Amino acid sequence: MTLVFVETDESGQVALTSAEALTFARTNASALLQQLPDGAPDTSREVAAPPSGSTEAVVVGPLSEEAVGELSRLGVSRIHHLESADLEAYSATAWAQALVDIAPETGAVLASGTPRGMELMTHVAVRTGERMAANVVAADEEGLLRQVLGGAAFERLQLGGDLQVLTLAGHACNPEETTPTTPEILTHSPESAAEDLRTRVVRTEVETDADNDTSGLTQARAVVGAGRGVGSENGFGEVLELVDHLGGALGVSRVVTGLGWRPHSEQVGQTGSRITPDVYIACGISGAIQHMAGIEGAKTLIAINTDEESTMVQRADYAIIGDLHEVIGAVNEEIRNRRG
Protein backbone atom coordinates (compact mmCIF):
# COMPACT_ATOMS: atom_id res chain seq x y z
CA MET A 1 0.00 0.00 0.00
CA THR A 2 0.91 3.64 -0.25
CA LEU A 3 1.08 5.71 2.93
CA VAL A 4 0.71 9.49 2.56
CA PHE A 5 1.61 12.03 5.24
CA VAL A 6 -1.19 14.60 5.30
CA GLU A 7 -0.79 18.17 6.49
CA THR A 8 -3.78 20.14 7.75
CA ASP A 9 -4.24 23.85 8.34
CA GLU A 10 -5.39 25.62 11.51
CA SER A 11 -9.05 25.07 10.59
CA GLY A 12 -8.50 21.33 10.18
CA GLN A 13 -8.76 21.32 6.38
CA VAL A 14 -6.48 19.11 4.31
CA ALA A 15 -3.73 21.21 2.72
CA LEU A 16 -3.93 21.59 -1.06
CA THR A 17 -0.48 20.06 -1.53
CA SER A 18 -1.49 17.02 0.55
CA ALA A 19 -4.63 16.59 -1.56
CA GLU A 20 -2.32 16.57 -4.59
CA ALA A 21 -0.10 13.93 -2.96
CA LEU A 22 -3.11 11.73 -2.17
CA THR A 23 -4.36 12.02 -5.74
CA PHE A 24 -0.91 11.13 -7.06
CA ALA A 25 -0.71 8.11 -4.75
CA ARG A 26 -4.16 6.86 -5.75
CA THR A 27 -3.76 7.35 -9.50
CA ASN A 28 -0.18 6.04 -9.63
CA ALA A 29 -0.51 3.10 -7.24
CA SER A 30 0.16 0.53 -9.95
CA ALA A 31 3.27 2.33 -11.22
CA LEU A 32 4.65 2.73 -7.69
CA LEU A 33 4.09 -0.91 -6.77
CA GLN A 34 5.68 -2.12 -10.02
CA GLN A 35 9.00 -0.81 -8.73
CA LEU A 36 8.96 -3.27 -5.81
CA PRO A 37 10.77 -6.62 -5.78
CA ASP A 38 8.60 -9.47 -7.04
CA GLY A 39 6.98 -11.55 -4.36
CA ALA A 40 7.72 -9.20 -1.48
CA PRO A 41 5.18 -9.60 1.33
CA ASP A 42 2.66 -6.79 1.69
CA THR A 43 2.75 -6.44 5.47
CA SER A 44 2.95 -3.63 7.99
CA ARG A 45 5.17 -3.27 11.04
CA GLU A 46 2.34 -2.56 13.48
CA VAL A 47 -1.00 -3.00 11.73
CA ALA A 48 -2.65 -5.72 9.71
CA ALA A 49 -1.90 -5.85 6.01
CA PRO A 50 -4.13 -3.49 3.97
CA PRO A 51 -5.71 -4.33 0.63
CA SER A 52 -3.13 -4.39 -2.14
CA GLY A 53 -2.79 -1.01 -3.87
CA SER A 54 -4.71 0.92 -1.23
CA THR A 55 -4.00 4.53 -0.32
CA GLU A 56 -3.76 5.33 3.38
CA ALA A 57 -3.29 8.65 5.14
CA VAL A 58 -1.40 9.70 8.26
CA VAL A 59 -2.60 12.70 10.24
CA VAL A 60 -0.65 13.90 13.27
CA GLY A 61 -2.60 15.86 15.86
CA PRO A 62 -6.29 16.87 15.76
CA LEU A 63 -8.41 15.13 13.13
CA SER A 64 -11.51 17.11 12.17
CA GLU A 65 -14.71 15.74 10.66
CA GLU A 66 -14.08 18.00 7.68
CA ALA A 67 -10.68 16.38 7.11
CA VAL A 68 -12.15 12.89 7.37
CA GLY A 69 -14.79 13.84 4.80
CA GLU A 70 -12.21 15.25 2.41
CA LEU A 71 -9.95 12.22 2.81
CA SER A 72 -12.95 10.03 2.04
CA ARG A 73 -13.60 11.94 -1.19
CA LEU A 74 -9.92 11.62 -2.10
CA GLY A 75 -10.19 7.82 -1.98
CA VAL A 76 -8.39 7.05 1.29
CA SER A 77 -9.15 3.58 2.59
CA ARG A 78 -7.61 3.96 6.03
CA ILE A 79 -6.63 6.93 8.22
CA HIS A 80 -3.86 6.57 10.77
CA HIS A 81 -4.48 9.18 13.44
CA LEU A 82 -1.34 9.81 15.50
CA GLU A 83 -2.06 11.68 18.70
CA SER A 84 0.06 11.72 21.83
CA ALA A 85 1.76 14.18 24.17
CA ASP A 86 5.11 13.38 22.54
CA LEU A 87 3.82 14.48 19.13
CA GLU A 88 2.02 17.68 20.16
CA ALA A 89 5.06 19.77 19.26
CA TYR A 90 6.64 19.18 15.87
CA SER A 91 9.80 17.08 16.04
CA ALA A 92 11.13 15.73 12.75
CA THR A 93 12.78 12.74 14.40
CA ALA A 94 9.84 11.79 16.62
CA TRP A 95 7.26 12.26 13.89
CA ALA A 96 9.37 10.34 11.39
CA GLN A 97 9.77 7.40 13.74
CA ALA A 98 6.01 7.37 14.31
CA LEU A 99 5.57 7.17 10.53
CA VAL A 100 8.16 4.39 10.25
CA ASP A 101 6.31 2.37 12.89
CA ILE A 102 3.16 2.21 10.75
CA ALA A 103 4.79 2.23 7.32
CA PRO A 104 4.44 -0.88 5.15
CA GLU A 105 7.35 -3.27 4.83
CA THR A 106 6.81 -3.02 1.08
CA GLY A 107 5.00 -0.24 -0.73
CA ALA A 108 5.48 3.51 -0.75
CA VAL A 109 5.62 6.36 1.75
CA LEU A 110 5.26 9.86 0.41
CA ALA A 111 4.45 13.45 1.27
CA SER A 112 4.05 16.70 -0.57
CA GLY A 113 7.30 18.57 -1.16
CA THR A 114 6.72 21.17 1.54
CA PRO A 115 9.51 21.96 4.02
CA ARG A 116 7.90 19.62 6.56
CA GLY A 117 7.22 16.90 4.03
CA MET A 118 10.79 17.03 2.75
CA GLU A 119 12.25 16.86 6.25
CA LEU A 120 10.06 13.97 7.37
CA MET A 121 10.64 11.84 4.29
CA THR A 122 14.39 12.34 4.61
CA HIS A 123 14.28 10.99 8.17
CA VAL A 124 11.98 8.14 7.13
CA ALA A 125 14.41 7.11 4.38
CA VAL A 126 17.37 7.14 6.78
CA ARG A 127 15.54 5.15 9.45
CA THR A 128 14.29 2.51 7.04
CA GLY A 129 17.59 2.31 5.18
CA GLU A 130 15.89 3.13 1.88
CA ARG A 131 16.65 5.61 -0.87
CA MET A 132 14.52 8.72 -1.33
CA ALA A 133 13.41 10.71 -4.39
CA ALA A 134 12.49 14.37 -3.91
CA ASN A 135 10.31 16.55 -6.14
CA VAL A 136 8.75 13.70 -8.12
CA VAL A 137 6.40 14.79 -10.89
CA ALA A 138 5.39 11.46 -12.49
CA ALA A 139 5.59 7.68 -12.14
CA ASP A 140 5.26 4.91 -14.71
CA GLU A 141 6.53 1.40 -15.42
CA GLU A 142 10.01 2.80 -16.13
CA GLY A 143 10.35 4.43 -12.71
CA LEU A 144 10.02 7.90 -11.25
CA LEU A 145 10.49 11.27 -12.93
CA ARG A 146 11.64 14.15 -10.74
CA GLN A 147 12.73 17.76 -11.04
CA VAL A 148 16.43 18.50 -10.47
CA LEU A 149 18.70 21.55 -10.67
CA GLY A 150 15.97 23.85 -9.45
CA GLY A 151 13.55 22.52 -12.04
CA ALA A 152 15.94 23.19 -14.94
CA ALA A 153 16.08 19.47 -15.80
CA PHE A 154 14.34 16.18 -15.11
CA GLU A 155 15.80 12.92 -13.91
CA ARG A 156 14.45 9.42 -14.49
CA LEU A 157 15.32 6.94 -11.74
CA GLN A 158 14.37 3.75 -9.99
CA LEU A 159 14.81 3.62 -6.24
CA GLY A 160 15.00 -0.14 -5.81
CA GLY A 161 14.48 -1.61 -2.36
CA ASP A 162 11.27 -2.69 -0.69
CA LEU A 163 9.96 0.76 0.19
CA GLN A 164 9.55 3.73 -2.16
CA VAL A 165 10.16 6.96 -0.19
CA LEU A 166 9.44 10.18 -2.06
CA THR A 167 8.06 13.69 -2.05
CA LEU A 168 5.81 15.12 -4.72
CA ALA A 169 6.65 18.44 -6.35
CA GLY A 170 4.03 21.11 -5.73
CA HIS A 171 1.20 21.14 -8.29
CA ALA A 172 2.65 18.11 -10.10
CA CYS A 173 -0.94 16.89 -10.35
CA ASN A 174 -4.38 18.32 -9.72
CA PRO A 175 -6.39 17.14 -6.71
CA GLU A 176 -9.17 14.88 -7.94
CA GLU A 177 -11.98 13.47 -5.86
CA THR A 178 -13.31 9.99 -6.51
CA THR A 179 -16.12 7.77 -5.27
CA PRO A 180 -16.23 8.44 -1.52
CA THR A 181 -14.89 5.71 0.70
CA THR A 182 -15.67 4.89 4.31
CA PRO A 183 -12.16 5.04 5.70
CA GLU A 184 -11.26 3.01 8.74
CA ILE A 185 -9.72 5.24 11.40
CA LEU A 186 -6.89 3.71 13.42
CA THR A 187 -5.73 5.71 16.42
CA HIS A 188 -2.10 5.45 17.50
CA SER A 189 -0.60 6.91 20.68
CA PRO A 190 3.13 6.39 20.20
CA GLU A 191 5.69 7.11 22.89
CA SER A 192 8.84 8.68 21.52
CA ALA A 193 12.37 7.85 22.63
CA ALA A 194 14.04 10.61 24.62
CA GLU A 195 16.74 11.07 21.97
CA ASP A 196 14.05 11.69 19.34
CA LEU A 197 12.68 14.61 21.33
CA ARG A 198 15.92 16.52 21.77
CA THR A 199 15.10 18.74 18.80
CA ARG A 200 11.52 19.98 18.59
CA VAL A 201 9.46 23.11 18.18
CA VAL A 202 9.11 24.80 21.56
CA ARG A 203 7.39 28.01 20.46
CA THR A 204 5.50 29.17 17.40
CA GLU A 205 5.11 32.85 16.60
CA VAL A 206 2.50 33.85 14.07
CA GLU A 207 3.82 36.29 11.49
CA THR A 208 1.47 39.26 11.37
CA ASP A 209 3.23 41.09 8.53
CA ALA A 210 1.39 40.16 5.36
CA ASP A 211 4.39 41.31 3.32
CA ASN A 212 6.28 38.19 4.43
CA ASP A 213 3.56 35.69 3.48
CA THR A 214 4.43 33.71 0.34
CA SER A 215 1.68 31.07 0.58
CA GLY A 216 -0.58 32.84 -1.92
CA LEU A 217 2.22 32.98 -4.47
CA THR A 218 3.42 29.39 -4.14
CA GLN A 219 -0.09 27.91 -4.21
CA ALA A 220 -1.58 30.10 -6.97
CA ARG A 221 -2.74 28.44 -10.17
CA ALA A 222 -2.11 31.62 -12.14
CA VAL A 223 0.83 33.96 -11.52
CA VAL A 224 1.49 37.24 -13.30
CA GLY A 225 5.17 38.14 -13.19
CA ALA A 226 6.48 41.70 -13.40
CA GLY A 227 10.03 42.83 -14.06
CA ARG A 228 11.97 46.01 -14.67
CA GLY A 229 9.79 46.60 -17.71
CA VAL A 230 6.97 47.97 -15.55
CA GLY A 231 9.07 51.12 -15.37
CA SER A 232 8.66 52.28 -11.81
CA GLU A 233 7.17 51.62 -8.39
CA ASN A 234 3.92 53.07 -9.69
CA GLY A 235 3.85 50.95 -12.84
CA PHE A 236 2.02 47.90 -11.48
CA GLY A 237 -1.57 49.08 -12.04
CA GLU A 238 -2.38 47.04 -15.14
CA VAL A 239 -0.49 44.01 -13.82
CA LEU A 240 -2.35 44.01 -10.51
CA GLU A 241 -5.68 44.37 -12.31
CA LEU A 242 -4.85 41.30 -14.41
CA VAL A 243 -3.93 39.41 -11.25
CA ASP A 244 -7.34 40.28 -9.84
CA HIS A 245 -9.15 39.17 -13.02
CA LEU A 246 -7.35 35.81 -12.94
CA GLY A 247 -7.77 35.27 -9.21
CA GLY A 248 -4.04 34.66 -9.08
CA ALA A 249 -0.94 36.11 -7.50
CA LEU A 250 1.76 38.62 -8.36
CA GLY A 251 5.36 37.47 -8.76
CA VAL A 252 8.28 39.78 -9.42
CA SER A 253 11.90 39.57 -10.49
CA ARG A 254 14.90 40.13 -8.26
CA VAL A 255 15.51 43.50 -9.91
CA VAL A 256 12.09 44.70 -8.80
CA THR A 257 12.64 43.80 -5.15
CA GLY A 258 16.22 45.12 -5.31
CA LEU A 259 14.88 48.50 -6.42
CA GLY A 260 12.43 48.44 -3.53
CA TRP A 261 9.37 48.50 -5.79
CA ARG A 262 7.78 45.38 -4.25
CA PRO A 263 8.39 43.23 -1.12
CA HIS A 264 10.76 40.25 -1.18
CA SER A 265 7.86 37.87 -0.43
CA GLU A 266 6.72 38.38 -4.04
CA GLN A 267 10.10 37.54 -5.57
CA VAL A 268 10.25 34.50 -7.83
CA GLY A 269 13.52 32.76 -8.55
CA GLN A 270 16.48 30.97 -7.06
CA THR A 271 16.62 33.34 -4.08
CA GLY A 272 12.85 33.78 -3.93
CA SER A 273 9.89 31.42 -4.30
CA ARG A 274 9.83 28.52 -6.71
CA ILE A 275 6.40 28.26 -8.22
CA THR A 276 4.46 25.68 -10.22
CA PRO A 277 1.31 27.41 -11.51
CA ASP A 278 -0.84 26.28 -14.40
CA VAL A 279 0.08 29.51 -16.18
CA TYR A 280 2.83 32.09 -15.65
CA ILE A 281 2.55 35.39 -17.51
CA ALA A 282 5.93 37.12 -17.53
CA CYS A 283 5.60 40.86 -18.14
CA GLY A 284 8.75 42.82 -18.88
CA ILE A 285 11.06 40.11 -17.51
CA SER A 286 14.15 39.28 -19.56
CA GLY A 287 14.64 35.80 -18.10
CA ALA A 288 17.80 35.71 -16.01
CA ILE A 289 18.86 32.18 -15.10
CA GLN A 290 17.99 32.74 -11.42
CA HIS A 291 14.43 33.73 -12.35
CA MET A 292 14.04 30.85 -14.81
CA ALA A 293 14.99 28.41 -12.05
CA GLY A 294 11.99 29.61 -10.07
CA ILE A 295 9.42 29.12 -12.84
CA GLU A 296 10.52 25.84 -14.43
CA GLY A 297 7.54 24.12 -12.83
CA ALA A 298 5.03 26.35 -14.64
CA LYS A 299 2.85 24.31 -16.98
CA THR A 300 2.33 27.14 -19.49
CA LEU A 301 4.63 30.14 -19.94
CA ILE A 302 3.43 33.33 -21.63
CA ALA A 303 5.88 36.19 -22.21
CA ILE A 304 5.08 39.85 -22.88
CA ASN A 305 8.23 41.75 -23.82
CA THR A 306 9.57 44.31 -26.27
CA ASP A 307 12.71 42.22 -26.84
CA GLU A 308 11.97 39.23 -29.04
CA GLU A 309 15.49 37.89 -28.43
CA SER A 310 15.14 37.76 -24.63
CA THR A 311 15.50 34.43 -22.88
CA MET A 312 11.95 34.65 -21.56
CA VAL A 313 10.49 35.07 -25.05
CA GLN A 314 12.65 32.27 -26.45
CA ARG A 315 11.58 29.89 -23.67
CA ALA A 316 7.89 30.83 -23.67
CA ASP A 317 5.07 28.66 -24.98
CA TYR A 318 3.41 31.84 -26.24
CA ALA A 319 4.93 35.32 -26.66
CA ILE A 320 3.57 38.77 -27.35
CA ILE A 321 6.08 41.35 -28.57
CA GLY A 322 5.05 44.78 -27.36
CA ASP A 323 4.86 47.22 -24.48
CA LEU A 324 3.46 45.41 -21.45
CA HIS A 325 1.30 48.35 -20.38
CA GLU A 326 -0.41 48.48 -23.78
CA VAL A 327 -0.79 44.71 -24.05
CA ILE A 328 -2.07 44.11 -20.53
CA GLY A 329 -4.26 47.20 -20.71
CA ALA A 330 -5.94 45.79 -23.82
CA VAL A 331 -6.33 42.36 -22.18
CA ASN A 332 -7.91 43.91 -19.08
CA GLU A 333 -10.30 45.94 -21.21
CA GLU A 334 -11.36 42.86 -23.14
CA ILE A 335 -11.97 40.94 -19.91
CA ARG A 336 -14.07 43.79 -18.53
CA ASN A 337 -16.10 43.95 -21.72
CA ARG A 338 -16.77 40.21 -21.78
CA ARG A 339 -17.82 40.22 -18.15
CA GLY A 340 -20.14 43.13 -18.77
Side-chain angles (χ1 to χ4, degrees):
M1 61 96 166
T2 302
L3 187 68
V4 181
F5 170 70
V6 173
E7 298 182 61
T8 57
D9 59 23
E10 294 181 355
S11 64
Q13 299 292 321
V14 174
L16 172 63
T17 50
S18 290
E20 294 170 351
L22 286 164
T23 300
F24 179 86
R26 187 186 76 241
T27 57
N28 290 276
S30 177
L32 291 172
L33 297 178
Q34 282 181 8
Q35 311 302 317
L36 302 174
D38 293 336
D42 189 12
T43 59
S44 171
R45 291 179 171 84
E46 285 196 349
V47 297
S52 178
S54 65
T55 301
E56 306 193 5
V58 180
V59 177
V60 182
L63 177 65
S64 67
E65 292 184 6
E66 291 78 5
V68 172
E70 187 168 0
L71 294 174
S72 167
R73 295 188 294 274
L74 288 167
V76 170
S77 61
R78 185 181 281 173
I79 301 172
H80 298 272
H81 182 205
L82 276 56
E83 193 169 36
S84 73
D86 288 347
L87 302 182
E88 286 182 359
Y90 174 66
S91 167
T93 49
W95 284 34
Q97 185 58 52
L99 291 176
V100 168
D101 289 340
I102 61 172
E105 294 283 0
T106 60
V109 179
L110 66 96
S112 57
T114 61
R116 182 163 294 186
M118 288 284 204
E119 186 174 29
L120 284 177
M121 291 304 102
T122 301
H123 282 279
V124 167
V126 170
R127 292 187 175 225
T128 57
E130 301 287 355
R131 301 179 180 91
M132 171 190 162
N135 294 318
V136 171
V137 297
D140 56 30
E141 64 279 358
E142 296 182 5
L144 304 173
L145 185 69
R146 74 185 192 102
Q147 296 176 352
V148 295
L149 300 176
F154 293 93
E155 178 182 67
R156 173 78 67 178
L157 76 160
Q158 292 186 350
L159 291 175
D162 294 329
L163 189 66
Q164 308 283 300
V165 183
L166 59 124
T167 61
L168 182 70
H171 305 328
C173 72
N174 294 320
E176 295 180 0
E177 296 184 353
T178 184
T179 303
T181 61
T182 304
E184 177 185 10
I185 300 177
L186 299 179
T187 301
H188 307 268
S189 300
E191 294 184 2
S192 303
E195 57 267 26
D196 285 340
L197 295 172
R198 288 182 297 181
T199 303
R200 62 187 184 277
V201 174
V202 296
R203 184 178 71 254
T204 300
E205 297 182 3
V206 178
E207 179 59 68
T208 57
D209 184 1
D211 285 345
N212 293 324
D213 183 11
T214 63
S215 59
L217 176 60
T218 56
Q219 296 183 21
R221 293 297 191 183
V223 175
V224 182
R228 190 198 298 269
V230 298
S232 71
E233 184 177 2
N234 300 318
F236 291 85
E238 295 94 347
V239 173
L240 289 172
E241 182 181 348
L242 181 58
V243 169
D244 185 60
H245 286 316
L246 297 176
L250 174 67
V252 300
S253 66
R254 183 177 180 179
V255 172
V256 168
T257 59
L259 291 170
W261 292 353
R262 301 295 299 184
H264 177 74
S265 60
E266 295 176 351
Q267 182 179 319
V268 173
Q270 199 164 27
T271 56
S273 295
R274 298 189 179 189
I275 59 174
T276 55
D278 290 335
V279 60
Y280 181 65
I281 306 175
C283 307
I285 300 177
S286 62
I289 188 172
Q290 294 88 349
H291 190 82
M292 301 306 294
I295 65 170
E296 283 295 334
K299 295 179 175 63
T300 301
L301 175 58
I302 301 173
I304 303 173
N305 206 296
T306 56
D307 181 8
E308 63 183 40
E309 300 299 326
S310 68
T311 301
M312 187 66 73
V313 169
Q314 296 299 314
R315 295 280 296 274
D317 298 293
Y318 305 95
I320 303 172
I321 307 303
D323 179 83
L324 70 90
H325 297 290
E326 295 179 3
V327 173
I328 300 177
V331 171
N332 287 335
E333 182 178 3
E334 182 66 20
I335 292 175
R336 290 194 298 269
N337 291 338
R338 293 196 179 194
R339 290 180 175 176

